[in-house]
């Protein structure tokens, strides 16, 4: 299967409110339409994770990021311009997303991906995509396709074919929280 067909299939599933497993700019992820509350609920259910623990999402561009955060602070843009590895930024003022995706304090963890597959997937879908590690909550994250538990493969609606043969170490993203008042907190290096 070509990458183009794989992305087309994944987008079709996402548009129908489905849940996918896909390679990201870090580890393999469980994804869905970040604006669809029912799809987000299913992701929590599949991960066996409390919905009080917020999920993050991926976007393909600066412009798309601005659709989901009321006011992106200047320090966020400066950070995005200088980071050299995948970094999720937690920002206040989340908008236009499923309510069960947004943290209790109104923030959202969001990352602009530059990895070719996930970037093209986000671009073709034209919306933010949930990106949470492909694992049952509390278990190790799937760095590669071969690490994904069979029950996850069976629980989702589509498993992407791209990058399944890859066998190399991948790390989760760094996570930095930026508050509206300019406070910076490193959550995960």
């Amino acid at each position: 299967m070509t990458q183009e067909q794989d992305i087309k299939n994944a987008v079709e599933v996402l548009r129908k409110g489905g849940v996918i497993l896909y390679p990201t700019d870090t580890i393999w992820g469980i994804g869905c339409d970040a604006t669809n509350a029912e799809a987000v609920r299913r992701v929590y259910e599949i991960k066996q994770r409390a919905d009080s623990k917020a999920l993050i999402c991926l976007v393909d561009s600066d412009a798309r990021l601005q659709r989901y955060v009321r006011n992106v602070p200047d320090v966020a843009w400066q950070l995005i311009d200088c980071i050299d590895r995948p970094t999720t930024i937690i920002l206040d003022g989340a908008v236009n997303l499923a309510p069960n995706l947004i943290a209790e304090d109104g923030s959202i963890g969001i990352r602009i991906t530059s990895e070719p597959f996930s970037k093209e997937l986000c671009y073709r879908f034209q919306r933010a995509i949930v990106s949470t590690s492909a694992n049952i909550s509390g278990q190790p994250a799937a760095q590669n396709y071969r690490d994904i538990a069979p029950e996850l493969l069976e629980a989702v609606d589509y498993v992407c074919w791209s990058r399944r043969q890859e066998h190399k170490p991948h790390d989760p993203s760094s996570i930095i929280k930026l508050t509206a008042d300019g406070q910076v907190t490193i959550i995960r290096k």
Side-chain angles (χ1 to χ4, degrees), residues 109-123:
I110 197 163
R111 184 167 75 246
I112 300 171
T113 180
S114 58
E115 181 273 326
F117 183 85
S118 55
K119 185 175 183 75
E120 186 69 13
L121 179 64
C122 290
Y123 174 74

Side-chain angles (χ1 to χ4, degrees), residues 71-82:
N71 292 305
V72 179
D74 288 340
V75 68
W77 295 122
Q78 292 166 8
L79 185 64
I80 289 166
D81 287 343
C82 74

Side-chain angles (χ1 to χ4, degrees), residues 42-55:
R42 276 196 60 216
V43 170
Y44 279 114
E45 186 179 276
I46 289 168
K47 279 190 69 78
Q48 300 172 27
R49 181 175 176 165
D51 62 10
S52 59
K53 288 188 168 189
L55 302 173

Side-chain angles (χ1 to χ4, degrees), residues 13 18 42 48 58 66 78 80 84 146 162 168 180 183:
V13 169
R42 276 196 60 216
Q48 300 172 27
L58 288 184
Q66 293 178 82
Q78 292 166 8
I80 289 166
D84 61 355
R146 69 177 178 182
S162 298
K168 63 183 185 180
Q183 202 171 359

Side-chain angles (χ1 to χ4, degrees), residues 151-163:
E151 60 264 34
L152 286 183
L153 295 169
E154 294 168 16
V156 300
D157 303 302
Y158 184 74
V159 181
C160 291
W161 287 89
S162 298
R163 292 181 43 206

